[in-house]
Amino acid sequence: MTSGTTGGSGARDTVLGRVRDALALAPPRETAVPRAYRTGRRLPDDERLALFTDRLTDYRATVLTCTADGTAAAVARALADRGARRIGVPAGLDRSWLADWDGEVREDSSDVPPRDLESLDGVVTASAAGCAETGTVFLDASPDQGRRALSLVPDLHVCVVDLSAVEAGVPEALARVVPGRPTTLISGPSATSDIELERVEGVHGPRTLVVVVRTDM
Amino acid sequence: MSRPESRGTGSTFLGMPARPPRVPYGDGNLRGEEAFPRAAAGELRNEQLRRNLGRATGTIRGKRLAVTGELPDWEELRDAGAALKTDALNRLPELLEELERKVTERGGTVHWARDGAEANAIVTRLVKAAGSDEVIKVKSMATQEIGLNEHLEDAGITPWETDLAELIVQLGHDRPSHILVPAIHRNRDEIREIFLKEIPGVDPSLDSVPAHLAAAARAYLREKFMTTRVAVSGANFGIAETGTLGVVESEGNGRMCLTLPETLITVMGIEKVLPRHQDLEVFLQLLPRSSTGERMNPYTSLWTGVTEGDGPQDFHLVLLDNGRTAALADAVGRQALNCIRCSACLNVCPVYERVGGHAYGSTYPGPIGAVLTPQLAGMHAADDDPNSSLPYASTLCGACYDACPVKIDIPSLLVELRHQKTEESGRSAERLAMRAAAAVMGRPRLWTAAQRTARLGRALAGRDGTIGRLPAPFSGWSDTRDTPAPPKHTFRDWFASDEGAAALRDAAREGERRRAERRTSGDDQEDQ
Ligand code: SF4
C-alpha cells in the first residue's frame, strides 16, 4: 500500500506537482467564460409572486400571502392548521409575528442540544432571499433565521419571505447571499424518489413547508 | 505499494515532467471483476433490473427535457458551465491553493491525498482522533470510489449511509447501480425484506408502501443523526474564492450530516473546485435540471470552514487526486474531469439502459464512467482487464453529448480511448475485446441507430479529423458481428464507399432533424 504518510506536506507538494506536470505535459488553451445566460432580470411584483407561488406549490410546499400587518395572522393560521402546539424560534425573530398565536414558544440557542429540537412541533423563521423561477427560499443563519439545525429537525417549517427579497432567477437571488455564511437553499419539503421512483415527502428534513409571503415588503 | 513520485515539489519546472500516476491496480472501486461484455451479458438476463431501469431512465429523461426546455438560455448556461470547468482545470494549482488558504482561514483543516489509500488513512485517523467508532455518511461518489466504507470497517469503524437508496444498498450488501438512484434495481418488496431483516427493532408488520418504508428509514436514521459524532461527506463544489463547500441533495440527510455532528470530514476530488462564488449561479441551474429533472433540488447546503454555534466545530477537507492528475495530463481526456456527476448521460444511453450500472464494474457507470474509469485507473495490458473493455461499451450514438450540461464530448473521448488502447495492446487484444463487446452491441437495432447518427462519423474522425488511425477497432467490430450492414467488407471499406458516404450524409441530416425536433417539441425520442 502507499507509504504511511497521511497527508503531510509531502502529499500536498506531490499532488500540486502532479497538477503542474499534467498542465505542462498538455498545455491548456486559454478559455474565455461566456456569460450570455440571463442575469439581472427584473419582473413586476405580481409576476414574481405568481411564479414563486406556482413553483413552490408544484414542489408541494404551501404558500400563504399576507401584508406586513397580517403577518401574525398568517403565521398563526399556518401553525394552527397543522396542529402545532409547541414551536421553536430563532432568537432574532420579530416576535410581533407571533402576536396572534397562543401556543408555546421556545427560543433557540446554540446551547440547546439538537435532540431537544425533536420535541418541537414546528419552527418559524425569516429568510434571506427567494428565487421565483425555482421556488427556492434562502436561509443564511442570520439572527432571524437561526442555526441550521433549527429549521431542519422539527417536522414543520413556517418560513416568512418578503416579496421584495424574492428575485426572478437563480443569479439574482444568489447575489443576495453573503458568501461565507452557512447557507441553506430550500425548495419544497424534504423528498425522495428512491423507492421505485415514487415520490415520498419528508425523509429526514421537515415533512411540511409553509412559505408566508409578505407582499408589501 | 511504492511508486515513483513525479517530483518532490511543484514550484520549479526542471526538464520533462513525468506523467502523473493512475490509481494503483486493485485499489478502490474503479474496476470490476469481469470485462464489460461478460458482466453485461449477465445483467441482460435480469428482467427486473431492465424494467426498473427502463422506467427510471425514461421518467427522468422526460422530466429533464421538460425543465431544461423551460429555460430559454439553457444552451448559454451549458456554454458557461463547460467554459467554467475548463478554466478551473487550467488554473487548478492556483485555485487549489486558494481554496486551501480560505478553508484554513475559516478554521478548517485541509489534507491532501495522492490516492485512495492515503485518503482512507487520513479519514480513519481523523475519526479515531475524534474518539468515535462510527460515522454517518451523506452519499458521496468520491468516498465510494476509494472504498472508504470497506476501509473503515476493516479499521473497526462503522459507516452508516444515510441517503435512503444508499442505505438500501448498504443494508442489502449490494452495490449501487446508478449515480442518482443507486437502488433502482430493487423493488419495494425487496426493500421491505431488506429492512425487516437488517433494521433492528423494525415493526414486523411493515408493509411495502414506499411512504411507510421511507418512514422506517427515517426513524432508524434519526437515531444515528442524533448520536453519531462524526460525519463524512463529499462535495459538489468547492469555491476557491471563499473556501465554501456545497452539497446538493433532496432528502435532508445531507443537512443532517453537515449540521448535527461535532466533526465533519469532506472528501473532494481536486477537479471539483470552482473559481468564484458567483459561479454557483451557473451550476445551481445546470445540475438539478440535468440530474433529477427538477428546477431545483429540495436542499442545497453551503458552508465555509466552521461557524461558532452553528454546525460542526471541527471541519476537515480532504483533497483527493487518485488518478485525476493522470486524466488531466491528457489534452483530450481531461474533458472528462468537467463532469458534475448529474447522471444525465446515463439516462439517455441505450447501452446503460439495458445493462445497468453493475456491468461497468466501477463507481462511475454509464457513458461518463466508460471514459472516466479507464482514465483514473488505467487500461492494463492484461487482456482481461475489465477497464479495457469500457471504451467499447457504447454505440457512439451521441445522445450523451447532447444531454451533458457541461458539453463533454463523450463519444469522441470514447474513440480516443479506443485508440489509446489499440496503441497499447495491439490488434489481437483489440479483436478479442471487440468480439466480446459485439455480444452486447451486436443488436441490429442499436447498430442501425449508431450507423444512422451523424455523430458516429464525427466521432470516428477523432481529434485530428482523420479516420486513418482507427482501422483496427472498427474492422474488428465489423468482422465479428452479425449485423445487417455492413455484411461482407470491413467497416473501413464500407465507410470509404459511396454507400457509406451516402449513409453518413443521411445520418447527418437525420441527426440534425431529430435534434431540431427535440429542441422545438421537447420530445423525448432517443435515437434508437
Ligand atoms: S458526463 Fe455530463 S451528463 Fe454525464 S454525469 Fe457528467 S456532467 Fe452529467
Side-chain angles (χ1 to χ4, degrees), chain B residues 455-469:
Chain B
R455 194 77 67 196
L456 178 62
R458 204 179 49 70
L460 267 172
R463 62 173 159 183
D464 62 2
T466 67
I467 57 158
R469 340 169 28 206

Side-chain angles (χ1 to χ4, degrees), chain B residues 179 290 338-346 368 400 403-408 410:
Chain B
I179 295 180
S290 303
N338 288 3
C339 174
I340 57 173
R341 315 273 190 264
C342 72
S343 73
C345 58
L346 278 63
I368 187 60
C400 48
C404 179
V406 288
K407 291 190 150 178
I408 300 173
I410 299 174

Side-chain angles (χ1 to χ4, degrees), chain B residues 510-527:
Chain B
E510 173 76 2
E512 270 313 312
R513 193 180 60 74
R514 276 170 192 252
R515 271 195 299 284
E517 256 174 34
R518 264 188 300 202
R519 269 197 299 274
T520 48
S521 67
D523 188 16
D524 183 33
Q525 292 306 306
E526 298 308 324
D527 294 334

